[in-house]
Amino acid sequence: MLPGIIVQEAPGNHKNGTGSTEASILEHLSTEGQNEASQGFDTKSALEIARIINHEDAKIAGAVKKALPEIAMVIDQVARCLRDGGRLIYIGAGSSGRIAALDASECPPTYSTAPGQVQYIMAGGPKALASAVEVNEDSEELGQRDIARRRPTRKDIVVGVSASGRTPYVVAATAYARARGAHTAAVTCNQDTPIQAAADTTIVADVGPEVISGSTRMKAGTAQKMIMNMITTGAMTRLGYVYENLMVNVHMQNSKLVERGIRVLMAACHIERAKAVDTIKSAGRSVPVALVMLKAGVDKPEAVRRLAKSDGNVRLAIEDNVLEL
């Protein structure tokens, strides 16, 4: 353990999880409890199974809603870090890590972020995305080692994602990043867990027991996906990579995304397709540059200057203003 970092978890957590202390911890996690609504689940018909799952899934949005103030805090912190040249680094294990990896990997094509701006660290490495390597999540040392390799600083925000809130790998990594001066947040589905003590801000979506006890890829996983969608979508919108509700920073790397860029420009500027295509070509295939050119009535060099001045915020570039967060 890194000197000066205290991870609040019971002895034995970093080992094989077979001790009585581990059993006691799991007993008090709502995500590990038995769900009365799914009693006798194995005797149900396919339609009954679907109805029970759907009924439980309907509770997720309400649980996330209760955490909106904390989600908003993290959105603004992520936006500030990215604006100042820092990174958003997710760290997770198992289903939580895979969901975090999905959110991070979708930012470059959606918002043209640089590959290093939004990152993920997965317990067990990239191979764990497709194959279970869950033993790694019990290691505090591996969590510290993996985050240390990214050299977190005060410019960065590290978000630990753990449905249980007690995953040793994630808790230790989050605590390490915080000790190194990075901003930290946590996304979990249980109250009063070790990760809450390790992070500056904790987002708790208390979705309750799963239909299949302990299967946190279900309600907990869906809640985490919703929250991470909010974090990155909110941060990118605050940075001005969205205009109205349009994906103006789309990275036009394939035919679908090229078509989306053309349609975005048509909708934002109320122009015909031919003019949208011509403007995008003259803007160097950049939708933000094309949009500023059309909305502000300026040439490409002036549009580029304005976008640089506003840190890429399209609306502010149109207004020739600067970004403040």
Side-chain angles (χ1 to χ4, degrees), residues 7 31 40 66 83 91 111 115 127 134 137 141 147 163 168 178 193 265 273 284 286 291 295:
V7 178
T31 51
K66 293 178 181 178
R83 178 201 60 186
I91 185 156
Y111 300 108
K127 66 180 180 180
E134 317 298 50
E137 70 181 54
E141 291 76 16
I147 189 64
R178 189 180 188 183
T193 55
L265 202 60
R273 178 182 178 84
S286 168
L291 183 56
K295 284 286 188 179

Side-chain angles (χ1 to χ4, degrees), residues 39-298:
Q39 293 296 320
F41 197 63
D42 64 320
T43 67
K44 306 298 184 184
S45 69
L47 181 57
E48 289 173 319
I49 287 171
R51 281 175 174 162
I52 291 169
I53 294 174
N54 180 249
H55 178 267
E56 288 300 299
D57 283 350
K59 301 175 181 178
I60 300 170
V64 173
K65 183 178 181 180
K66 293 178 181 178
L68 290 179
E70 291 77 22
I71 293 171
M73 291 171 61
V74 176
I75 286 173
D76 275 339
Q77 189 59 66
V78 169
R80 284 191 290 268
C81 287
L82 295 181
R83 178 201 60 186
D84 295 339
R87 302 165 293 175
L88 163 60
I89 304 173
Y90 287 123
I91 185 156
S95 296
S96 298
R98 296 181 187 103
I99 294 165
L102 175 63
D103 194 70
S105 64
E106 290 183 340
C107 285
T110 308
Y111 300 108
S112 292
T113 57
Q117 282 185 291
V118 183
Q119 305 180 15
Y120 72 88
I121 298 173
M122 177 73 182
K127 66 180 180 180
L129 294 176
S131 304
V133 194
E134 317 298 50
V135 66
N136 294 71
E137 70 181 54
D138 286 338
S139 173
E140 297 173 351
E141 291 76 16
L142 288 178
Q144 289 184 357
R145 182 202 67 185
D146 289 350
I147 189 64
R149 286 175 172 172
R150 305 296 173 97
R151 300 182 183 275
T153 72
R154 57 185 177 80
K155 285 188 174 183
D156 303 318
I157 179 166
V158 174
V159 179
V161 188
S162 169
S164 69
R166 45 73 53 208
T167 309
Y169 177 95
V170 180
V171 174
T174 305
Y176 179 97
R178 189 180 188 183
R180 285 292 183 268
H183 304 277
T184 54
V187 179
T188 184
C189 294
N190 285 282
Q191 300 281 357
D192 303 320
T193 55
I195 202 164
Q196 190 164 355
D200 297 311
T201 305
T202 304
I203 299 168
V204 181
D206 191 353
V207 295
E210 300 286 1
V211 169
I212 305 296
S213 298
S215 182
T216 51
R217 74 185 187 91
M218 300 182 74
K219 288 193 298 182
T222 301
Q224 290 174 320
K225 177 69 165 66
M226 291 171 69
I227 290 166
M228 284 183 273
N229 276 352
M230 288 183 182
I231 291 171
T232 48
T233 301
M236 300 305 169
T237 302
R238 295 283 282 154
L239 288 168
Y241 301 164
V242 173
Y243 183 79
E244 298 293 349
N245 61 350
L246 298 171
M247 192 192 300
V248 294
N249 244 43
V250 61
H251 196 45
M252 298 191 297
Q253 287 293 92
N254 59 37
S255 58
K256 180 188 75 172
L257 295 178
V258 168
E259 182 60 29
R260 181 175 294 162
I262 293 169
R263 292 172 63 83
V264 162
L265 202 60
M266 290 170 64
C269 299
H270 307 291
I271 57 176
E272 296 298 322
R273 178 182 178 84
K275 185 172 183 179
V277 171
D278 287 344
T279 308
I280 287 175
K281 286 180 180 177
S282 65
R285 292 173 59 90
S286 168
V287 176
V289 172
L291 183 56
V292 175
M293 288 170 64
L294 289 169
K295 284 286 188 179
V298 299

